[in-house]
Amino acid sequence: MVTATPSESRYALSFTTGALLAREGSLLAPVYVEVRNWEKVRDRAVEDNLLQARTHRTGVRLVRETVKRLSVLTDREVELMDELTAPERGHLMWVAACRRYGLIGEFAEEVVRERFLLLASTLRYEDFDGFVRSKALWHDELATIKDSTMQKLRSNVFKMLVEAELLSESCQIIPAVLSDRIAALLSDRAPSDMRFFPTRSAA
């Protein structure tokens, strides 16, 4: 289990744009495979409105956030995006969010997975709020966030979990059924990124 210490860097809290971004990831991944440069991916996606955003401003935000998450995946993981099934893509984009944002990754490991292993079938907003309060002891950026920001962060994390099919609309934790190739990718890392999922497979 991850334990926060005062020496850890500040949490990035800019994950209020979009939710899981699985569709957006599937559209931008092939561009990266072609050009191998995230800055070029971002520029082309904005210029050509690859994400089909209604406004330029929205498009810029969505592209920027999608690139942030995709860029923490390995080249092999990005290359696979084009051939993954929808559930596999959802699982990989959940991993991307957990890697990109320490707060999400630690919540996934310390609360979602832990509750699943302890046979707690539900995940409540209160679980997220309590988790953030515990981290705020060591992270001033959490202690000073506005209630409205807190609501957005919480709402988006729960939306991500639902879109990744790890949580039902009624907030029941759904055991992760990971494909062999996704499990292999996650287990290649140390520690294994299986820790981000409600599963009994070794993390």
Side-chain angles (χ1 to χ4, degrees), residues 1 4 6 9 13 20 29 32-34 37 39 46 70 77 84 105 119 133 138 143 146 156 179 186 191 199 202:
M1 186 176 293
S9 59
L13 300 174
L20 194 64
Y32 175 78
V33 172
E34 178 187 341
N37 181 292
E39 190 173 333
V46 170
L70 287 176
E77 289 167 341
L84 295 179
L119 304 180
R133 281 196 299 272
W138 304 113
K146 298 177 181 177
N156 231 25
S179 68
L186 304 187
T199 174

Side-chain angles (χ1 to χ4, degrees), residues 11-62:
Y11 286 123
L13 300 174
S14 56
F15 50 88
T16 55
T17 296
L20 194 64
L21 300 177
R23 180 191 74 87
E24 290 80 0
S26 70
L27 291 171
L28 298 192
V31 182
Y32 175 78
V33 172
E34 178 187 341
V35 302
R36 301 289 171 169
N37 181 292
W38 286 115
E39 190 173 333
K40 290 181 179 178
V41 172
R42 187 180 63 229
D43 291 346
R44 182 188 295 184
V46 170
E47 183 177 341
D48 296 345
N49 193 22
L50 295 182
L51 300 186
Q52 301 173 332
R54 292 185 178 181
T55 68
H56 177 76
R57 192 173 182 180
T58 298
V60 169
R61 285 205 315 271
L62 279 174

Side-chain angles (χ1 to χ4, degrees), residues 29-137:
V31 182
Y32 175 78
V33 172
E34 178 187 341
V35 302
R36 301 289 171 169
N37 181 292
W38 286 115
E39 190 173 333
K40 290 181 179 178
V41 172
R42 187 180 63 229
D43 291 346
R44 182 188 295 184
V46 170
E47 183 177 341
D48 296 345
N49 193 22
L50 295 182
L51 300 186
Q52 301 173 332
R54 292 185 178 181
T55 68
H56 177 76
R57 192 173 182 180
T58 298
V60 169
R61 285 205 315 271
L62 279 174
V63 167
R64 183 184 298 126
E65 184 58 30
T66 306
V67 166
K68 277 184 186 178
R69 298 193 201 173
L70 287 176
S71 64
V72 300
L73 300 177
T74 65
D75 279 10
R76 177 60 181 148
E77 289 167 341
V78 177
E79 289 162 4
L80 277 175
M81 282 286 287
D82 203 35
E83 58 186 78
L84 295 179
T85 64
E88 287 177 319
R89 193 174 299 124
H91 290 154
L92 192 56
M93 289 304 291
W94 172 246
V95 169
C98 289
R99 289 182 193 168
R100 176 68 183 83
Y101 297 104
L103 187 71
I104 298 178
E106 290 173 23
F107 179 69
E109 179 180 3
E110 298 175 22
V111 180
V112 181
R113 180 182 173 89
E114 193 68 14
R115 286 184 64 78
F116 172 76
L117 293 176
L118 292 174
L119 304 180
S121 61
T122 60
L123 186 70
R124 303 163 302 167
Y125 279 180
E126 291 84 356
D127 297 319
F128 183 84
D129 294 352
F131 166 78
V132 171
R133 281 196 299 272
S134 70
K135 296 297 183 180
L137 296 172

Side-chain angles (χ1 to χ4, degrees), residues 55 66 104 128 148 154-155 159 165 194:
T55 68
T66 306
I104 298 178
F128 183 84
S148 59
R154 183 206 302 132
S155 175
K159 282 180 183 176
E165 298 182 0
M194 297 285 279

